[in-house]
Amino acid sequence: KNYYGMDFFTSGSWQQFNFFMSNLYQIGTGPVVDKAAALSMATEILFEPMVGGDFELWIDELEVYDCSSYPIP
């Protein structure tokens, strides 16, 4: 793994989160990749638990905004 991400914590109740690109940091031990370059080529968003095992996360109305460009899947 060598991607940009951030930690967030849920309460078990519906919550609204705003994820700002400026808060992302590079996760992994690979070579440092320029954030703007890496995010300009992003084709997916991954949500994974910080600990192993099954988890349930419901997402409603995911919106990506304030992007100058984005790839078409």
Side-chain angles (χ1 to χ4, degrees):
K1 296 180 181 179
N2 193 30
Y3 52 86
Y4 279 92
M6 64 178 285
D7 300 331
F8 70 99
F9 302 93
T10 63
S11 68
S13 299
W14 281 104
Q15 297 170 266
Q16 179 175 336
F17 288 98
N18 293 305
F19 300 101
F20 296 99
M21 299 299 175
S22 60
N23 293 338
L24 299 177
Y25 59 91
Q26 194 166 356
I27 298 170
T29 58
V32 175
V33 178
D34 177 70
K35 186 190 312 186
L39 296 177
S40 73
M41 296 180 283
T43 58
E44 62 187 20
I45 298 172
L46 173 68
F47 294 92
E48 65 180 0
M50 295 177 66
V51 294
D54 295 336
F55 75 104
E56 186 173 324
L57 177 67
W58 291 34
I59 299 173
D60 186 31
E61 296 187 31
L62 177 66
E63 181 178 352
V64 178
Y65 57 94
D66 198 27
C67 297
S68 59
S69 66
Y70 53 89
I72 304 299

